[in-house]
Structure formats: C-alpha cells, structure tokens
C-alpha cells in the first residue's frame, strides 16, 4: 500500500492543476445540487420491530386521515388567583381562542376544553388540543404565528396561557460557537507549523471536504428523509478528522523536507507513510459509523452512513488534494524545524543546540516509570467513569426544556392541574379484527387496565368506522420518565398477552412514553452486538496494520476506559448538573437514548486514529532496528507534537457544537470533546507507552503461521526505504 500511495502522492503533486480542478468541480456540483434540491422536512422517527411502532403503523392503516404523524399543540389556560376556568368571562375567552385557532388552513381539529372535559378538578386549569395536518418542522410560519397570537389575545384578557407540544418546534441551530472551534484549530495549526501557509492547508482541505459532504447530504435530504441533525453531525466529525488527516500529511511532508528530499519526493513519501496511517485510521472510523446500522434504527443508520461518507471524503482529500496544494505552496511550506517570517527569522533546528523535545522527555519518563504511570492513568479514568453507573436513558420531551420556554411552562401547568402522568399518556390500540365480539374485547381491555397500579384515568374505547379496532387512552400517575410508568407499560402488555390468549385480539401500547421505553430497550440490547462487531473488525484490521496481537488488544481495552470515562462525564454534567451552567445546560434529565451507542461508535473510530498515528511511528522505529523502549521514545519524538495538536483541534471543533440548541448535538459535542481528551492525553499519551514499555518485545509478537497468512500492507514504508536506497545506489553508479 505504501508504494501505491507514494505514487499517488507524487502524481497529485505533479498534476496539481488537474487534481484541484476535480475537487473544485465536485464542490461546485454538490453546492448546486444542495441549492436546487427541495427543502427537507422533519426526519421521520421510526423504530422497526418495536411494539410501539407496530401500534403506530396499525393506527395509520385502521384510522386513515387522522394525521397521526401531524403536529400537535396543547394551549394551556390558567385562571387568575381566586377565579376558575368555568367562570363565564374566562369560559368566553377560551371559546373565542378555540374558534380563532380553528380557522387555520393546516388545522385538522381543535378540542373545546368544556366539551372534552379538559378542565382540572379544582377548575383552575384547562387546555385545548390543536391537531395539524403536517409535522412541526413542516408547519408554516403563519400557522405558528397564529397559534402565538391566539395565546397572546387570551393573555390580554387576564389568563395565564402557555403552549406545549411539537407545533412550535424550532429548527435547531449551532450558533457561533463552532466558529470559535475553527479559530482555535487555526491558532493551534499556526503554532504547530510556524507558518500561515502550512497552517492554512489543513483548514482549507477540511472545509472543502465538509462542504462537499454536507452539500451532498442537503441535496439528498428530501429524497432520503434526512433530518437536520444528520448534516450537523456529519459536519462535526468531517471537520475534525479532515483537519487531523491533512495535519499528519503536511507534518510528515515537512519532516521529509528536513531530511533533504526534493519536494515532489517528499510529498510522495509523506502520502506513502502518513497516508497509510490515514487510510487505516479513516477505515476504522468508517467501520464504527457504518456499524451503527446493526441497531436497526433508521435515523441512527442514516446519521452513521452520512458521517462515514464525509470521513471517506476527508481521507481522499488528504491523499490527493493535500499533496496538490503542497505543490502550489512551493517553498512557502518550510522543512521541519524552520519557521516562516510570521513567527520570526528563519532558523533551522540543526543550528540550535541539540535539546530533546517535550515528547521525547515525556516518553523517557514514562519508560522509566511505566507501572506508576499505568496505575495513575487507569485509576483516574476509573474514577471519571463512576457516574456512568447511574446512567439513565430517555428521549427528550417538553419536561426537559429550559424553564424559560413556553413548552416547559405548559408542561408544568398540566402536571399541576392533571397530575405528572398527564404529560405522557399511553395509547392502547386494541386490534379485535379476529375476535368474535370486538365490543366486548374493548370493554374487557379497559377493565383490565383500570385494575393495574399507577393508573389515574382510562378513557372509553374509541373504535374506528369498521368497528374492529379501538384506541384507549391511559393516564399514568407518575411522570413519563419514571420507572413506575415503565412498569405500567409492561403491565399493560402482560395483560394484553392474556387477552390475546382468550379472545385472539392484539393489545398494543404506543405513544411517546412507550416509544421511549422501546427505544431504550432496543439500544441496550444492541450495544453488546455492536461492540462485538465494530471492535472485532477493527481488532482484525489493527492486527494487519501492526502485525501484533497485544497492541490491538491494548488499543481496544484503552478505548473502553476512555469511553466509560466520557460517559461518566456526560452523566455528571447533563444528568447530575455538575458544571451545567458553564456548559449551557438549563435543564438536567436523562441522557439521550441514542447518545451512548452513537458516542461509542464515533469515539472508537477516533481512538483508533491516535493509536494508528502514534504507534505506527513506534512500529516503524522498531522494524528499523531500535529496541522496544527506544522505539517508544522515537515514536513520541516524531509524533507526540502532531498528535497533541490533532487532539486539541478535534476537541476545539467538537466543543464548538456545545452551543447548539439541539440537545442531542450539544450532548454529543461535549461527550466527544471530553472523550478525545481522555483518549488522546491519558490513554494514548500515558497508558499506551507505559504498557508497551512493560511488554517490551512481547508487544510485537505475532505467531509465525499468522504472520505468513496476513497480507503485508507496509504501513511503515519499508518498501519506500528499499526503493530509495536502491535509487541512491543507482545514482552512485552513474556518478562513478
């Protein structure tokens, strides 16, 4: 592989005009496609195979035209102190509001609180439910404005009015904080390279790659039902790895120049060596992201595949466009150790007194005290992982919104007037198509549910026109995210199994609360198979790269430490509320159900990035004759500065997304940033060299039969060294 990439690097350097033209054309094509594509609506959320999804699909089939997936709004009214909602003046205000809301073109129906008995027992709180034809993301601004105006008119009459539901759902935005992340990355690159031109190359190529990837996602969003979160996460991951991959290529190019090679040759060798590491690092990230499809949640699968596509583009750009731009830069990109005019007078490193760099001094310390460093690192990460034992999963609802929002205030008013379970009603769907007496089945089901614990209200069955299917609304006594409500869902399903045995009728439980429970269980069940698949494939890949058994095993165990510590930090901030004000978390609550498995996939891929980049330099030194301990120090001398810069850049990019208004993006941005910190600076910079120092030559052991069976991918560039040595001999013969 090194030889092929070497030729690709030299070709891209020579044919830079052609390479640059191709990438600019792709960027233009993707941009035009994104601009001309129809606007994407809200991505549909479905969980195939779950009971809640089956019930939802059955409703679509048996109750056509009910707009089951349409937006809803609950307009909650509270009477002034000392008054009741049944007072004539307040009642007239509410009825005027209901009439005003009914005039909207996208409105399906509006319930009158007094006819629907939606008034609290003490008479102080009432609500009207508005159902729309389209989802909250597709709702016209005029409809949202009409909803707000109606509430404002009722407020002028003296009532307290708040609006809950998804009708006021806003398009998530990331704010300006991600720009700060890019600015931090730029500063780190300038410090690392000492040159504006060299620092600008990784930023430029990363932005081009992300531009192509995100534009392609935007262009396909409507056709493939991709949500806004998909492009945001693709941008987050693509930007981080794009900068890092280009950083490693440019850094190796400068090192090759410092050894006296011509620029084209240096570009070829940089792509042949560092480019090999980029390919395998990118491949591990792609495996981890595409592997999310095993969970069988379409939204998660689309997010993973879209992000994987952006990573693949970042790899291709690093292998082709980076050497092409190095050709354009010419002498403006200085050899390693020589700084440009921006940071002072050019002065080569060899002109200064020899002094080990920080990476060399740190590695030497770790090699001398490996056991102490190993224990300290493991204990520290273990302590950070302790909060993960209290992990609670859930999907966001209005109760997780900041208290400053009208949605949260409406949620609290409904809890006050009708009980905490009113915000998470359960919908029971009874399919009695195969029963002899459907009406009797509907009545029996309602009676069974009334006898269960934690049930406050059970509405009469509402059959469809055919009379073979009915819906029953159940209001629990506990809040939606409580364990008691989860037990009630399982209790209804157990009772439904008995009813099916007696009457051959299917009893299904759905609604947002039931869907949340099903999602959490599905993700929990999928986590172990996902880990086995992704870690297993990457383990095999790393065996090929490092030609070792223990090094990949150590890499996988280190990843588990860092991801558990990162999950612990997420729980501490978003669930317990530690430093929540600093992170902009206004409301703590359960961690997003998809967060752990998504973070596991992404962090694993990124962890393997640093493993490949850092340990390949150690492997390269070991293969070329150095002792194991000295190879560790050599790897740090060449790679620690660049890996540190790459980690800081990636942390800055991820941390920039903490300012997002989308709770999942905010949580993932924080989780990935802290995970990169743990993995890069504790696992890869401390635990990895300590373990390698303790193992010595055993770290690079591989059974002979396996060594013969594995393909030789030559990540260390041994073929290039042989090629160069042979070329030097030929030149000496010509001179002779």
């Amino acid at each position: 592989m090194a030889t092929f990439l070497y030729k690709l690097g030299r070709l891209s350097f020579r044919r830079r005009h052609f390479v640059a033209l191709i990438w600019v054309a792709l960027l233009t094509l993707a941009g035009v496609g994104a601009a001309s594509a129809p606007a994407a609506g809200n991505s549909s959320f479905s969980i195939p195979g779950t009971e809640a999804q089956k019930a939802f699909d059955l409703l679509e089939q048996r109750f056509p035209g009910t707009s089951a997936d349409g937006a809803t709004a609950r307009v909650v009214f509270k009477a002034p102190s000392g008054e009741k909602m049944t007072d004539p003046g307040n009642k007239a205000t509410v009825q005027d509001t209901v009439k005003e809301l009914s005039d909207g073109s996208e409105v399906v129906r509006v319930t009158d609180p007094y006819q629907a008995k939606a008034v609290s027992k003490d008479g102080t709180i009432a609500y009207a439910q508005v159902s729309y034809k389209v989802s909250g993301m597709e709702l016209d601004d005029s409809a949202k404005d009409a909803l707000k105006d109606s509430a404002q008119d009722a407020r002028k009459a003296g009532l307290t009015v708040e609006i809950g539901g998804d009708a006021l759902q806003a398009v998530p935005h990331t704010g300006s904080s991600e720009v700060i992340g890019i600015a931090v990355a730029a500063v780190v690159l300038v410090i690392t390279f000492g040159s504006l031109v060299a620092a600008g190359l990784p930023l430029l190529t990363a932005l081009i790659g992300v531009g192509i990837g995100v534009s392609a996602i935007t262009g396909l969003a409507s056709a493939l039902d991709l949500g806004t979160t998909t492009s945001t996460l693709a941008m987050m991951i693509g930007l981080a790895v794009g900068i890092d991959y280009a950083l490693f290529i440019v850094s190796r190019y400068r090192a090759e120049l410092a050894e006296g090679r011509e620029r084209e040759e240096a570009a070829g060798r940089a792509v042949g060596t560092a480019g090999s590491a980029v390919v395998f690092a990118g491949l591990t990230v792609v495996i981890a992201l595409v592997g999310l499809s095993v969970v069988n949640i379409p939204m998660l699968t689309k997010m993973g595949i879209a992000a994987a596509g952006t990573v693949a583009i970042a790899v291709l750009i690093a292998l082709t466009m980076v050497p092409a731009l190095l050709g354009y830069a010419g002498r403006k990109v200085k050899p390693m150790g020589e700084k440009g005019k921006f940071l002072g007078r050019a002065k080569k490193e060899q002109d200064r007194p020899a002094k080990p760099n920080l990476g060399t001094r740190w590695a030497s310390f770790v090699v001398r005290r490996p056991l102490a460093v190993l224990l300290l690192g493991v204990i520290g990460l273990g302590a950070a992982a302790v909060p993960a034992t209290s992990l609670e999963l859930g999907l966001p609802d209005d109760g997780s919104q900041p208290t400053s929002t009208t949605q949260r205030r409406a949620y609290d008013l409904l809890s006050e007037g009708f009980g905490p379970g009113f915000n998470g009603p359960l919908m029971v769907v009874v399919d009695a198509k195969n029963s002899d007496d459907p009406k009797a089945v509907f009545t029996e089901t309602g009676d069974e549910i009334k006898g269960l614990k934690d049930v406050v209200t059970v509405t009469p069955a509402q059959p469809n026109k055919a009379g073979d299917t009915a819906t029953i609304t159940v209001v629990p006594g506990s809040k939606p995210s409580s364990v008691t409500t989860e037990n009630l869902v399982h209790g209804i399903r157990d009772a439904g199994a008995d009813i099916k045995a007696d009457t051959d009728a299917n009893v299904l439980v759905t609604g947002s609360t039931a869907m949340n429970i099903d999602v959490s269980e599905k993700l929990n069940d999928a986590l172990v198979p996902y880990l086995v698949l992704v870690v297993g494939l990457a383990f095999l890949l790393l065996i090929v790269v490092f030609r070792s058994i223990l090094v990949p095993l150590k890499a996988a165990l280190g990843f588990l430490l860092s991801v558990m510590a990162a999950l612990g930090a997420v729980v501490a901030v978003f669930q317990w509320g530690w430093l929540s004000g600093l992170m902009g978390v206004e409301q703590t609550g359960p961690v997003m159900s998809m967060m752990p498995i998504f973070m596991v996939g992404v962090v694993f891929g990124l962890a393997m990035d640093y493993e490949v980049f850092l340990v390949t330099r150690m492997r390269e030194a070991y293969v070329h004759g150095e002792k194991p301990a000295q190879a560790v120090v050599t790897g740090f001398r060449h790679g620690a500065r660049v890996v540190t810069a790459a980690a800081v850049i990636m942390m800055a990019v991820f941390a920039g997304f903490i300012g997002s208004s989308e709770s999942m993006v905010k949580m993932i941005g924080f989780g990935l940033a802290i995970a990169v910190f743990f993995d890069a600076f504790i696992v890869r910079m401390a635990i990895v060299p300590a373990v390698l120092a303790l193992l010595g030559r055993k770290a690079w052991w591989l059974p002979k039969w396996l060594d013969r069976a594995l393909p030789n991918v030559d990540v260390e560039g041994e073929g290039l060294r042989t090629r160069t040595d042979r070329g030097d001999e030929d030149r000496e013969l010509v001179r002779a």
Side-chain angles (χ1 to χ4, degrees):
M1 175 178 285
T3 302
F4 169 76
L5 293 177
Y6 165 80
K7 293 178 180 178
L8 179 62
R10 294 196 62 168
L11 178 65
S12 299
F13 188 95
R14 285 198 309 273
R15 307 296 184 191
R16 47 188 172 272
H17 303 307
F18 180 69
V19 172
L21 183 62
I22 289 178
W23 285 111
V24 170
L26 287 174
L27 179 61
T28 304
L29 184 64
V32 171
S36 59
N42 190 29
S43 179
S44 60
F45 185 82
S46 62
I47 313 294
T50 61
E51 180 172 317
Q53 186 64 46
K54 291 177 182 176
F56 185 83
D57 295 340
L58 185 65
L59 284 174
E60 290 283 334
Q61 177 185 348
R62 302 287 174 86
F63 291 82
T66 56
S67 300
D69 58 346
T72 59
R74 277 181 172 175
V75 183
V76 188
F77 306 89
K78 184 175 182 179
S81 178
E83 298 182 16
K84 294 185 180 295
M85 290 306 304
T86 52
D87 293 346
N90 294 334
K91 185 174 182 179
T93 300
V94 172
Q95 289 177 331
D96 288 343
T97 303
V98 169
K99 183 179 179 181
E100 186 177 348
L101 288 170
S102 302
D103 294 337
S105 60
E106 293 182 318
V107 175
V108 177
R109 61 185 159 308
V110 181
T111 60
D112 186 318
Y114 303 101
Q115 295 179 4
K117 299 181 180 179
V119 180
S120 61
K121 290 182 179 180
D122 62 3
T124 60
I125 297 174
Y127 73 91
Q129 181 151 316
V130 187
S131 301
Y132 293 90
K133 298 176 182 177
V134 296
S135 67
M137 294 293 286
E138 297 170 321
L139 202 61
D140 287 342
D141 290 338
S142 59
K144 296 181 180 181
D145 292 339
L147 184 61
K148 295 175 184 176
D149 292 342
S150 299
Q152 188 59 35
D153 292 341
R155 290 189 186 105
K156 291 178 181 178
L159 298 178
T160 299
V161 186
E162 304 296 346
I163 305 171
D166 60 352
L168 295 183
Q169 183 178 7
V171 177
H173 60 86
T174 55
S176 59
S177 53
E178 72 274 17
V179 178
I180 299 175
I182 296 175
V184 172
V187 172
V188 173
L189 287 169
V190 171
I191 295 173
T192 303
F193 290 138
S195 165
L196 285 175
V197 175
L201 288 180
L203 282 175
L204 177 61
T205 55
L207 289 172
I208 290 174
V210 167
I212 294 172
V214 173
S215 296
I217 292 170
T218 304
L220 297 171
S222 179
L224 300 181
D225 191 25
L226 304 177
T228 53
T229 305
T230 303
S231 58
T232 303
L233 293 175
M235 177 171 63
M236 180 195 302
I237 296 168
L239 192 61
V241 300
I243 294 175
D244 278 7
Y245 293 166
L247 166 65
F248 282 101
I249 298 287
V250 175
S251 179
R252 188 61 183 252
Y253 171 76
R254 297 177 70 234
E256 297 294 336
L257 288 179
E259 293 183 9
R261 292 187 172 85
E262 295 295 327
R263 294 187 177 274
E264 183 179 328
E265 176 69 15
R269 289 184 64 86
V271 176
T273 51
S276 297
V278 166
V279 169
F280 283 101
L283 194 54
T284 58
V285 179
V286 169
I287 288 173
L289 291 171
V290 173
L292 290 170
S293 59
V294 303
V295 184
N296 196 27
I297 295 179
M299 187 178 79
L300 196 59
T301 300
K302 293 171 185 176
M303 287 165 54
I305 292 176
T310 309
V311 171
I313 292 172
V315 171
L316 292 175
I317 282 184
L319 298 179
T320 57
M321 192 171 188
V322 170
L325 292 181
L326 289 172
Y328 283 117
R331 298 186 179 278
K332 293 180 180 179
V333 177
K334 307 293 183 181
M336 186 77 72
E338 184 178 340
K339 294 183 179 181
K341 295 180 181 179
F342 179 75
L343 290 183
R345 183 172 58 87
K347 186 174 183 181
K348 291 192 176 182
E349 197 171 292
Q350 53 262 37
D351 295 334
R352 302 190 185 102
K355 181 182 178 181
N357 61 20
L358 182 60
T360 302
R361 297 197 300 273
W362 169 250
S364 299
F365 169 77
V366 174
V367 167
R368 290 195 305 271
R369 301 284 189 274
L371 189 58
V373 172
L374 176 62
L375 290 176
L376 187 62
V378 171
I379 292 172
L381 290 177
V386 169
T389 58
S390 301
L391 177 67
E392 295 178 8
L393 299 178
L395 289 176
D397 57 17
D398 287 345
S400 62
Q401 297 267 15
T403 53
S404 58
T405 62
T406 186
Q407 292 95 328
R408 173 59 188 275
R409 292 196 292 263
Y411 181 97
D412 292 339
L413 283 176
L414 289 171
S415 296
E416 176 187 341
F418 301 93
F422 193 79
N423 284 291
L426 307 175
M427 180 175 286
V428 179
V429 183
V430 185
D431 178 10
K433 190 173 184 178
N434 298 325
S435 301
D436 296 332
D437 189 354
K439 290 184 179 180
V441 173
F442 301 154
T443 303
E444 180 184 351
T445 302
D447 293 340
E448 286 286 340
I449 295 173
K450 288 177 183 176
L452 298 175
K453 294 181 180 179
D454 200 48
V455 173
V456 174
T457 305
V458 178
T459 65
Q462 301 293 322
N464 62 349
K465 290 182 179 180
D468 57 6
T469 307
T471 59
I472 300 173
T473 301
V474 180
V475 177
S478 305
K479 63 181 182 178
S481 58
S482 68
V483 176
T484 306
T485 301
E486 182 178 348
N487 293 335
L488 174 60
V489 171
H490 290 300
I492 295 173
R493 288 173 174 171
D494 291 340
D498 296 335
I499 293 172
K500 180 176 175 60
D502 296 337
T503 65
D504 205 24
N506 286 320
V507 178
L508 307 173
V509 185
T510 189
S512 59
T513 302
M515 184 70 80
N516 184 7
I517 293 169
D518 288 350
V519 168
S520 298
E521 291 179 353
K522 189 177 182 70
L523 289 169
N524 287 337
D525 293 341
L527 185 58
V528 172
Y530 174 71
L531 278 173
V532 171
L533 173 67
V534 173
V535 176
L537 288 175
F539 181 77
L540 295 176
L541 184 65
L542 292 179
I543 289 178
V544 175
V545 173
F546 296 125
R547 308 194 80 77
S548 164
I549 297 293
L550 296 180
V551 170
L553 180 61
K554 172 262 309 168
L557 294 176
F559 152 73
L560 291 176
L561 275 174
S562 59
V563 78
M564 289 303 298
L567 278 175
V570 169
V571 170
V573 173
F574 290 89
Q575 189 174 307
W576 291 359
W578 294 4
L579 302 177
S580 58
L582 182 63
M583 297 298 164
V585 181
E586 296 186 41
Q587 181 64 37
T588 59
V591 173
M592 189 86 61
S593 295
M594 294 186 199
M595 173 65 185
I597 197 164
F598 187 84
M599 194 172 79
V600 163
V602 176
V603 171
F604 180 78
L606 300 180
M608 295 306 104
D609 274 6
Y610 299 116
E611 180 75 14
V612 170
F613 287 132
L614 192 59
V615 180
T616 37
R617 293 306 294 258
M618 300 178 190
R619 168 76 181 173
E620 185 176 342
Y622 177 75
V623 168
H624 294 153
E626 291 188 8
K627 293 182 178 179
Q630 184 57 39
V632 171
V633 176
T634 300
F636 267 76
R637 182 171 68 248
H638 291 298
R641 179 185 177 90
V642 181
V643 169
T644 299
V648 172
I649 289 169
M650 197 169 279
M651 287 168 57
V653 172
F654 288 147
F657 288 84
I658 295 175
S660 173
S661 64
E662 176 69 36
S663 57
M664 183 172 181
V665 174
K666 179 190 289 287
M667 199 177 290
I668 288 179
F670 171 80
L672 294 183
I674 197 69
V676 168
F677 171 78
F678 287 146
D679 195 84
F681 293 106
I682 299 180
V683 174
R684 309 302 154 189
M685 290 289 187
I687 294 177
V688 165
V691 171
L692 291 177
L694 289 171
L695 291 175
R697 295 186 182 277
K698 295 178 182 177
W700 308 106
W701 171 80
L702 186 70
K704 291 183 178 180
W705 64 268
L706 185 56
D707 188 36
R708 290 191 298 269
L710 292 177
N712 183 15
V713 295
D714 189 21
V715 177
E716 300 84 17
E718 183 64 26
L720 298 182
R721 173 170 293 212
T722 304
R723 179 191 185 97
T724 304
D725 293 344
R726 188 166 58 245
D728 292 341
E729 292 176 3
D730 292 342
R731 284 191 289 273
E732 290 296 329
L733 288 173
V734 170
R735 292 193 188 99

